[in-house]
Amino acid sequence: MTALRSFAEPLAIGNVVLRNRFVSAPMERNYCDADGVLTDRYIDYLERRAAGGAALVFTEASYVRADGKGRIRQMGVDDDAQIPKLTELSGVVHRHGALLGVELNHGGRTAQGVVSGFTPVAPTPIPCAVVGGQMPTQLDDDDIEHIIECFGDAAARCVEAGVDVISLHGGHGYLIHQFLSPAYNKRTDRWADPTRFVNAVIDAVATRTPGIALGLRFSAFEGIEGGLDAATTRARIDAIDTDRLDFLDVSAGNYEAGQWIIQPGEWDRGLLAPYAEQYARDFAIPVGVAGRISTPEIADEIIGSGRADFVSLARTLHADPDFPSRALAGRRYRPCIACNYCIDSLAAGPVPCSVNPWVGREAEQDESSSDEEIRVAVIGGGPAGMATARELAAAGHSVDLYERRSYLGGDFALAAGLHEYPEYHRILDWYRAELDDLSVRTHLGIEVGADTLRGRGHDAVVLATGGRGPSVDLPGAQTRRVCDIRDLLASEDDAPEAITIFGADREAAAVADDLLLKGTRVVMIAPQEQIAQDVGRRAKIVMLPRLAASPGLTAYLSAIITRVDTDRVEIRDADGTRWVDAPGELVISHGIEPQTELLTALRSVAPRLGVHTVGDAGGDGGSLQAATVTATLVARTITDAAAASVAVGA
């Protein structure tokens, strides 16, 4: 890769200068405490992004009043008690040469009482079903004026803490956006003017914090019927007091059209750049843009063509905090695969990453080499095996990686060929290149047994042989071809005319979607009540409507197969037992079980530092994130055991 220069140029925004055009965008993480105060974990996370070369590091959408809080551990700037830790963060970010930004926000109708402890408020009482559907209270004049004052107060706290840049969140369906949108502002009083509220907020912040670099993030369109389209949004921005702003930052969508806020991997990279172009052309202040900007090439194209002045990166820097410095130097980076596991984890707790095991664990990351080089055999070349081999080799160990197939990547490589997962191959390509650079010896087409390793001098063995689908006993199964869904993918056969899938889990949904797009007729029978119940909402937000609209899909949910015939099956559901058409091969998709037959045999080899399991072989249940984290833990366990052994021997 050659160095690309358009994003390397400094950029003046108000009274500050960005060292390059990479901005670490606001991204909710659930890393704060329950009072909205930053934690050490949060500071470590953002310090790592600052050290990675980003010019401007934003925290996240931070509530300015308590009833605008949307996440249990969301960052707040509504209380002076939050200032000390924000001041600490400011100092840390500045030490790495980056600027610190805070995005001021109020959730409005998207905030829920179960989280904030307050009844939500909104311009018009329209509930947000996506987050729970609690009916909000309509704001009166006094409350609107108080929230405006809260924005100014929050900005003053930020300045006191040493924050360099303030962004007002005017998009994604939050309160400012609700006033702007015809879908959510049905008022008839003076606040029916869609830009009155945002202009009042701009005035409050600019008055309380004169000289601060101030900008507005907004959605170029909402993506819902009756909402803001691109032309109406442009008219709104033209009516905003942009002469008092120092930048604009273009995004898209709202909670009812979340696919436009966090886009799926099957959509084009940089897809929002065409919407940002008119603002970059027509406004005399810098304009940024977000949306699937996950490679240096697309960032360079957007900035070099003048469609935006800077790029806002969230998931890209979540996956690799060093992306800016690596892009500037033309070096390899760990890619985001747009799986949306991060955003789908927000409701459950702190946000992880599928491909970066150190997210939220930055303080634990140790990149030093071991003083004692040992030899380790890793059996299985799927993501778990590749990740473990990389961690061990990076620690300075000698690693042999064995894979029975003719390629690395395991079942994940098969999934990478499906329509829904076009970015999956990128992390596999990255691992292959990393293993090459670290001189990992890769042995393909080798079926490993205990005897394979005897006498080879391995100090430790790691079992990463993956898993298999559980066996399913179906009367009559001998009348037709029956296989596990992974075997179907591994066969590399052409798309059949018709197929029957027993199961509606993640794998079944992705395979059905892929086959339907290729013209296959699909019958899906499943005990699940919904298709892809084990998948987060964002990760299936595009696929599920496509499945529902497909004329080629026939689905029987909350049903089980009780008997099989050549071209039909007997099912039992709430309506009783009946026979239904079930053409083609019968494919079973019932999850995965560890494949550990080798475990006992390998223990008989008795490597001095033990036999360890990772990934599906260790019960991680098909989770890439769990596999990569386990890989780091196993590598550290082996390295520590080697050091302890040397110490004991000494």
Side-chain angles (χ1 to χ4, degrees):
M1 186 189 297
T2 57
L4 304 170
R5 302 306 304 169
S6 69
F7 47 64
E9 295 297 322
L11 176 68
I13 291 182
N15 63 354
V16 299
V17 177
L18 277 61
R19 58 184 172 182
N20 57 56
R21 307 300 179 93
F22 291 122
V23 172
S24 179
M27 179 177 178
E28 290 183 49
R29 305 175 180 96
N30 263 338
Y31 288 178
C32 291
D33 69 17
D35 294 322
V37 176
L38 295 174
T39 61
D40 290 342
R41 181 184 200 179
Y42 202 125
I43 292 172
D44 291 340
Y45 177 96
L46 286 188
E47 178 179 12
R48 189 69 185 80
R49 273 72 201 161
L56 168 60
V57 176
F58 274 103
T59 53
E60 62 181 63
S62 304
Y63 58 90
V64 300
R65 199 172 80 167
D67 58 355
K69 178 181 180 180
R71 308 285 178 190
I72 293 294
R73 298 188 179 278
Q74 184 178 355
M75 178 179 164
V77 280
D78 66 321
D79 192 285
D80 289 351
Q82 295 148 350
I83 294 174
K85 293 299 281 188
L86 185 56
T87 303
E88 182 182 342
L89 173 63
S90 174
V92 165
V93 168
H94 291 156
R95 281 201 300 273
H96 292 284
L99 302 173
L100 178 63
V102 172
E103 183 178 60
L104 304 183
N105 188 43
H106 188 290
R109 64 188 285 270
T110 69
Q112 301 288 286
V114 68
V115 172
S116 70
F118 298 91
T119 300
V121 295
T124 305
I126 300 172
C128 183
V130 174
V131 294
Q134 184 178 0
M135 181 63 72
T137 299
Q138 179 165 309
L139 288 161
D140 61 23
D141 266 22
D142 289 344
D143 221 12
I144 291 173
E145 295 289 357
H146 182 251
I147 291 177
I148 292 168
E149 184 180 328
C150 288
F151 271 95
D153 292 343
R157 292 186 187 97
C158 291
V159 170
E160 182 179 344
V163 171
D164 306 287
V165 178
I166 290 175
S167 179
L168 305 176
H169 203 333
H172 297 178
Y174 297 119
L175 186 61
I176 292 176
H177 190 172
Q178 290 161 34
F179 275 98
L180 292 169
S181 172
Y184 306 114
N185 186 351
K186 307 291 187 181
R187 301 178 74 102
T188 57
D189 61 2
R190 65 190 182 113
W191 300 104
D193 176 350
T195 60
R196 179 181 291 274
F197 181 75
V198 66
N199 281 334
V201 171
I202 290 170
D203 180 67
V205 172
T207 300
R208 289 295 305 278
T209 57
I212 190 72
L214 176 62
L216 174 71
R217 193 173 215 203
F218 65 95
S219 292
F221 55 87
E222 286 192 86
I224 61 165
E225 186 175 351
L228 291 165
D229 58 18
T232 309
T233 299
R234 175 57 195 263
R236 298 283 197 267
I237 300 301
D238 285 341
I240 288 173
D241 295 336
T242 54
D243 59 319
R244 304 187 73 179
L245 298 176
D246 298 302
F247 67 93
L248 297 172
D249 194 8
V250 180
S251 185
N254 69 10
Y255 270 48
E256 282 77 9
Q259 68 274 24
W260 286 108
I261 301 175
I262 310 291
Q263 303 85 13
E266 62 187 77
W267 286 6
D268 291 340
R269 296 172 189 158
L271 74 172
L272 297 182
Y275 297 93
E277 184 172 6
Q278 62 176 304
Y279 297 99
R281 180 190 65 230
D282 297 342
F283 287 78
I285 53 177
V287 172
V289 68
R292 293 271 291 122
I293 303 170
S294 57
T295 69
E297 290 79 9
I298 192 64
D300 185 53
E301 192 279 325
I302 290 169
I303 297 168
S305 65
R307 290 193 287 174
D309 300 291
F310 64 89
V311 289
S312 292
L313 311 176
R315 290 175 294 174
T316 296
L317 300 191
H318 197 60
D320 190 345
D322 292 320
F323 177 88
S325 61
R326 293 181 188 279
L328 288 164
R331 303 202 319 270
R332 184 170 59 249
Y333 56 92
R334 189 192 301 255
C336 168
I337 59 174
C339 65
N340 284 344
Y341 183 70
C342 51
I343 188 69
D344 275 332
S345 299
L346 261 176
V351 170
C353 177
S354 286
V355 300
N356 183 353
W358 299 110
V359 162
R361 303 168 56 223
E362 282 77 13
E364 300 174 32
Q365 189 169 3
D366 182 2
E367 297 180 342
S368 62
S369 295
S370 171
D371 293 332
E372 173 69 8
E373 179 182 342
I374 57 172
R375 188 174 182 187
V376 184
V378 178
I379 306 170
M386 297 171 82
T388 307
R390 179 190 177 275
E391 293 293 328
L392 287 164
H397 302 309
S398 174
V399 182
D400 291 286
L401 177 61
Y402 296 90
E403 169 54 49
R404 62 181 178 83
R405 294 169 175 166
S406 61
Y407 58 87
L408 293 175
D411 291 339
F412 196 82
L414 303 177
L418 298 175
H419 176 84
E420 192 186 3
Y421 305 135
E423 298 280 44
Y424 277 20
H425 73 92
R426 297 184 68 207
I427 190 63
L428 298 178
D429 293 343
W430 180 80
Y431 272 123
R432 293 183 190 109
E434 289 283 297
L435 296 178
D436 284 345
D437 282 357
L438 291 166
S439 300
V440 171
R441 293 177 295 277
T442 302
H443 311 275
L444 300 178
I446 302 294
E447 189 78 46
V448 173
D451 290 340
T452 310
L453 302 183
R454 292 189 194 279
R456 298 276 179 111
H458 292 110
D459 299 287
V461 176
V462 178
L463 190 65
T465 47
R468 63 164 65 90
S471 59
V472 179
D473 184 17
L474 295 173
Q478 73 280 359
T479 62
R480 65 195 298 172
R481 186 180 173 192
V482 180
C483 74
D484 184 75
I485 198 161
R486 292 159 192 80
D487 295 329
L488 174 75
L489 290 175
S491 70
E492 298 184 348
D493 293 340
D494 292 337
E497 181 178 335
I499 199 166
T500 299
I501 302 176
F502 185 20
D505 56 8
R506 175 187 60 190
E507 291 79 11
V511 169
D513 179 54
D514 188 75
L515 290 175
L516 287 163
L517 291 170
K518 294 174 179 175
T520 298
R521 177 190 168 201
V522 177
V523 174
M524 179 179 284
I525 302 161
Q528 293 94 338
E529 295 179 0
Q530 299 174 3
I531 296 175
Q533 277 185 293
D534 54 340
V535 179
R537 187 179 71 86
R538 302 275 186 167
K540 62 188 178 187
I541 199 169
V542 171
M543 178 189 67
L544 282 189
R546 187 164 60 221
L547 287 175
S550 175
L553 176 65
T554 301
Y556 302 93
L557 301 178
S558 298
I560 61 170
I561 295 176
T562 54
R563 185 170 296 275
V564 176
D565 204 348
T566 53
D567 58 0
R568 62 178 188 160
V569 297
E570 184 184 62
I571 68 170
R572 185 171 65 243
D573 60 13
D575 296 325
T577 301
R578 65 189 186 279
W579 288 91
V580 298
D581 290 338
E585 189 171 1
L586 178 59
V587 177
I588 311 297
S589 187
H590 284 187
I592 195 166
E593 295 178 343
Q595 190 165 280
T596 57
E597 291 83 356
L598 266 179
L599 190 56
T600 301
L602 288 173
R603 283 174 175 157
S604 71
V605 178
R608 70 183 181 93
L609 299 180
V611 178
H612 310 262
T613 59
V614 294
D616 291 335
D620 283 332
S623 168
L624 178 62
Q625 190 268 341
T628 56
V629 170
T630 303
T632 66
L633 298 176
V634 166
R636 175 51 53 191
T637 296
I638 292 172
T639 297
D640 289 347
S645 177
V646 170
V648 170

